[in-house]
Amino acid sequence: MPDTPDPNAMSEKPVTLLAFDFGTGQIGVAVGQSLTGSANPLTVLRARDGIPNWEQIAGLLAEWQPDQLLVGLPLNMDGSESAFCQRARKFARRLNGRFGLKVAMVDERLSTFEARGQSKNHAIRRTGSYQPSLVDDLAAVIILHTWLSDPSLAQAP
């Protein structure tokens, strides 16, 4: 009897992801991939009232060629939708509409708070000072790690 592969032992194709921490003035971006479970900060994009320079995003997509995009969903601590959720969802839908890539929303509760702590500790250890502008890309890393730890938690925009 020939050996047949165990479907439970087969792993899915590795996925490259870009994650966005949406904000009205800045949007943090991180890159990661499922094979290694890694996520790294990429950049912080400027935005005007939540509208980014779409050419910059197109450039990041061309460079990294992600299989999927993630956008942080700023839920309230009790899990209800914040007033800002609709803006983040609109940004996610625009990403999908403009670039035709799969986009998922990921709960980002406390990601900015955690990113501030990480950034502050890292910056003070390295330079003795702290730059709050470095927080948004680290928040995107946290969003990406959240998805990597459990992709089933993601939801549609």
Side-chain angles (χ1 to χ4, degrees):
M1 175 188 246
D3 287 335
T4 57
D6 177 3
N8 296 324
M10 293 171 42
S11 62
E12 291 186 27
K13 174 186 172 262
V15 176
T16 300
L17 305 125
L18 284 185
F20 297 88
D21 178 44
F22 175 77
T24 55
Q26 296 186 148
I27 300 170
V29 186
V31 63
Q33 59 117 330
S34 63
L35 182 64
T36 62
S38 64
N40 295 296
L42 270 185
T43 190
V44 175
L45 304 172
R46 291 276 176 220
R48 288 184 102 150
D49 195 29
I51 300 170
N53 177 332
W54 292 106
E55 289 178 19
Q56 286 179 310
I57 292 177
L60 291 171
L61 297 177
E63 180 178 353
W64 293 98
Q65 299 190 4
D67 301 293
Q68 184 173 347
L69 307 177
L70 306 172
V71 176
L73 185 62
L75 297 170
N76 292 316
M77 290 308 293
D78 65 0
S80 63
E81 294 225 353
S82 73
F84 203 63
C85 284
Q86 283 308 101
R87 294 193 76 174
R89 287 185 187 280
K90 184 176 181 179
F91 173 72
R93 288 190 300 270
R94 284 183 173 170
L95 282 171
N96 173 260
R98 284 179 178 265
F99 303 109
L101 291 168
K102 181 178 176 183
V103 180
M105 304 298 295
V106 177
D107 181 352
E108 69 165 42
R109 278 178 282 186
L110 297 178
S111 65
T112 301
F113 178 79
E114 185 178 335
R116 277 191 192 115
Q118 287 180 11
S119 175
K120 194 172 202 174
N121 290 337
H122 180 71
I124 291 171
R125 277 196 313 269
R126 285 192 66 215
T127 65
S129 66
Y130 169 62
Q131 293 178 315
S133 63
L134 302 176
V135 170
D136 296 309
D137 56 351
L138 291 177
V141 167
I142 294 165
I143 291 163
L144 218 158
H145 276 299
T146 300
W147 185 90
L148 289 168
S149 69
D150 191 354
S152 70
L153 296 175
Q155 54 183 278

PDB file of all heavy atoms in Angstrom, residues 9 11 22 31 34 44-45 47 55 82 95 105 137 151-152:
ATOM      1  N   ALA A   9      -0.423  16.960   8.387  1.00  0.00           N
ATOM      2  CA  ALA A   9       1.009  17.231   8.493  1.00  0.00           C
ATOM      3  C   ALA A   9       1.488  18.187   7.407  1.00  0.00           C
ATOM      4  O   ALA A   9       2.587  18.715   7.476  1.00  0.00           O
ATOM      5  CB  ALA A   9       1.794  15.930   8.410  1.00  0.00           C
ATOM      6  N   SER A  11       1.889  21.528   5.466  1.00  0.00           N
ATOM      7  CA  SER A  11       1.772  22.937   5.835  1.00  0.00           C
ATOM      8  C   SER A  11       1.298  23.746   4.636  1.00  0.00           C
ATOM      9  O   SER A  11       1.483  23.360   3.497  1.00  0.00           O
ATOM     10  CB  SER A  11       3.116  23.470   6.326  1.00  0.00           C
ATOM     11  OG  SER A  11       4.064  23.381   5.296  1.00  0.00           O
ATOM     12  N   PHE A  22      -3.343  52.058  10.927  1.00  0.00           N
ATOM     13  CA  PHE A  22      -3.972  53.231  10.325  1.00  0.00           C
ATOM     14  C   PHE A  22      -4.119  54.372  11.322  1.00  0.00           C
ATOM     15  O   PHE A  22      -4.513  54.165  12.469  1.00  0.00           O
ATOM     16  CB  PHE A  22      -5.352  52.852   9.779  1.00  0.00           C
ATOM     17  CG  PHE A  22      -6.120  54.019   9.241  1.00  0.00           C
ATOM     18  CD1 PHE A  22      -5.818  54.556   8.004  1.00  0.00           C
ATOM     19  CD2 PHE A  22      -7.125  54.602   9.995  1.00  0.00           C
ATOM     20  CE1 PHE A  22      -6.521  55.642   7.513  1.00  0.00           C
ATOM     21  CE2 PHE A  22      -7.836  55.688   9.511  1.00  0.00           C
ATOM     22  CZ  PHE A  22      -7.526  56.204   8.273  1.00  0.00           C
ATOM     23  N   VAL A  31       6.293  44.460   7.702  1.00  0.00           N
ATOM     24  CA  VAL A  31       6.299  43.316   6.792  1.00  0.00           C
ATOM     25  C   VAL A  31       6.585  42.069   7.608  1.00  0.00           C
ATOM     26  O   VAL A  31       7.316  42.114   8.601  1.00  0.00           O
ATOM     27  CB  VAL A  31       7.345  43.486   5.662  1.00  0.00           C
ATOM     28  CG1 VAL A  31       8.763  43.551   6.208  1.00  0.00           C
ATOM     29  CG2 VAL A  31       7.214  42.390   4.616  1.00  0.00           C
ATOM     30  N   SER A  34       4.673  34.161   7.177  1.00  0.00           N
ATOM     31  CA  SER A  34       4.159  33.082   8.012  1.00  0.00           C
ATOM     32  C   SER A  34       5.150  31.950   8.226  1.00  0.00           C
ATOM     33  O   SER A  34       5.085  31.273   9.248  1.00  0.00           O
ATOM     34  CB  SER A  34       2.865  32.530   7.403  1.00  0.00           C
ATOM     35  OG  SER A  34       3.118  31.969   6.126  1.00  0.00           O
ATOM     36  N   VAL A  44       6.903  54.580   8.334  1.00  0.00           N
ATOM     37  CA  VAL A  44       5.713  55.324   8.753  1.00  0.00           C
ATOM     38  C   VAL A  44       5.387  56.280   7.608  1.00  0.00           C
ATOM     39  O   VAL A  44       6.218  57.101   7.223  1.00  0.00           O
ATOM     40  CB  VAL A  44       5.951  56.098  10.064  1.00  0.00           C
ATOM     41  CG1 VAL A  44       4.734  56.949  10.408  1.00  0.00           C
ATOM     42  CG2 VAL A  44       6.279  55.142  11.207  1.00  0.00           C
ATOM     43  N   LEU A  45       4.196  56.128   7.061  1.00  0.00           N
ATOM     44  CA  LEU A  45       3.747  56.968   5.956  1.00  0.00           C
ATOM     45  C   LEU A  45       2.957  58.153   6.492  1.00  0.00           C
ATOM     46  O   LEU A  45       2.169  58.003   7.425  1.00  0.00           O
ATOM     47  CB  LEU A  45       2.847  56.165   5.012  1.00  0.00           C
ATOM     48  CG  LEU A  45       3.429  54.884   4.421  1.00  0.00           C
ATOM     49  CD1 LEU A  45       2.347  54.122   3.667  1.00  0.00           C
ATOM     50  CD2 LEU A  45       4.601  55.202   3.510  1.00  0.00           C
ATOM     51  N   ALA A  47      -0.028  60.844   6.239  1.00  0.00           N
ATOM     52  CA  ALA A  47      -1.379  60.834   5.686  1.00  0.00           C
ATOM     53  C   ALA A  47      -2.012  62.194   5.955  1.00  0.00           C
ATOM     54  O   ALA A  47      -1.632  62.884   6.898  1.00  0.00           O
ATOM     55  CB  ALA A  47      -2.201  59.722   6.331  1.00  0.00           C
ATOM     56  N   GLU A  55       0.753  56.203  -4.073  1.00  0.00           N
ATOM     57  CA  GLU A  55       1.930  55.770  -4.838  1.00  0.00           C
ATOM     58  C   GLU A  55       2.987  55.167  -3.919  1.00  0.00           C
ATOM     59  O   GLU A  55       3.683  54.225  -4.304  1.00  0.00           O
ATOM     60  CB  GLU A  55       2.500  56.934  -5.633  1.00  0.00           C
ATOM     61  CG  GLU A  55       1.620  57.341  -6.795  1.00  0.00           C
ATOM     62  CD  GLU A  55       2.165  58.540  -7.562  1.00  0.00           C
ATOM     63  OE1 GLU A  55       3.369  58.846  -7.445  1.00  0.00           O
ATOM     64  OE2 GLU A  55       1.366  59.168  -8.278  1.00  0.00           O
ATOM     65  N   SER A  82     -15.013  51.077  18.059  1.00  0.00           N
ATOM     66  CA  SER A  82     -14.775  52.485  18.370  1.00  0.00           C
ATOM     67  C   SER A  82     -15.268  53.328  17.203  1.00  0.00           C
ATOM     68  O   SER A  82     -15.531  52.817  16.110  1.00  0.00           O
ATOM     69  CB  SER A  82     -13.281  52.734  18.594  1.00  0.00           C
ATOM     70  OG  SER A  82     -12.580  52.681  17.365  1.00  0.00           O
ATOM     71  N   LEU A  95      -7.658  49.803   0.132  1.00  0.00           N
ATOM     72  CA  LEU A  95      -6.490  48.983  -0.219  1.00  0.00           C
ATOM     73  C   LEU A  95      -6.911  47.845  -1.137  1.00  0.00           C
ATOM     74  O   LEU A  95      -6.283  47.595  -2.170  1.00  0.00           O
ATOM     75  CB  LEU A  95      -5.836  48.397   1.044  1.00  0.00           C
ATOM     76  CG  LEU A  95      -4.966  49.306   1.882  1.00  0.00           C
ATOM     77  CD1 LEU A  95      -4.602  48.612   3.199  1.00  0.00           C
ATOM     78  CD2 LEU A  95      -3.700  49.715   1.136  1.00  0.00           C
ATOM     79  N   MET A 105      -8.902  42.556   8.676  1.00  0.00           N
ATOM     80  CA  MET A 105      -8.830  43.445   9.832  1.00  0.00           C
ATOM     81  C   MET A 105      -8.380  42.618  11.038  1.00  0.00           C
ATOM     82  O   MET A 105      -8.833  41.492  11.218  1.00  0.00           O
ATOM     83  CB  MET A 105     -10.200  44.059  10.128  1.00  0.00           C
ATOM     84  CG  MET A 105     -10.832  44.813   8.969  1.00  0.00           C
ATOM     85  SD  MET A 105      -9.911  46.244   8.394  1.00  0.00           S
ATOM     86  CE  MET A 105      -9.981  47.319   9.812  1.00  0.00           C
ATOM     87  N   ASP A 137       5.041  52.208  13.237  1.00  0.00           N
ATOM     88  CA  ASP A 137       5.508  51.010  12.545  1.00  0.00           C
ATOM     89  C   ASP A 137       5.649  49.838  13.515  1.00  0.00           C
ATOM     90  O   ASP A 137       5.416  48.689  13.152  1.00  0.00           O
ATOM     91  CB  ASP A 137       6.786  51.261  11.750  1.00  0.00           C
ATOM     92  CG  ASP A 137       7.927  51.824  12.561  1.00  0.00           C
ATOM     93  OD1 ASP A 137       7.727  52.207  13.729  1.00  0.00           O
ATOM     94  OD2 ASP A 137       9.047  51.894  12.023  1.00  0.00           O
ATOM     95  N   PRO A 151      -4.477  33.415  12.828  1.00  0.00           N
ATOM     96  CA  PRO A 151      -5.115  34.047  11.661  1.00  0.00           C
ATOM     97  C   PRO A 151      -6.634  33.971  11.688  1.00  0.00           C
ATOM     98  O   PRO A 151      -7.302  34.777  11.050  1.00  0.00           O
ATOM     99  CB  PRO A 151      -4.560  33.252  10.472  1.00  0.00           C
ATOM    100  CG  PRO A 151      -3.322  32.596  10.970  1.00  0.00           C
ATOM    101  CD  PRO A 151      -3.518  32.384  12.442  1.00  0.00           C
ATOM    102  N   SER A 152      -7.198  33.031  12.427  1.00  0.00           N
ATOM    103  CA  SER A 152      -8.659  32.891  12.450  1.00  0.00           C
ATOM    104  C   SER A 152      -9.353  34.065  13.146  1.00  0.00           C
ATOM    105  O   SER A 152     -10.561  34.241  13.017  1.00  0.00           O
ATOM    106  CB  SER A 152      -9.062  31.589  13.143  1.00  0.00           C
ATOM    107  OG  SER A 152      -8.792  31.649  14.531  1.00  0.00           O
TER     108      SER A 152
END
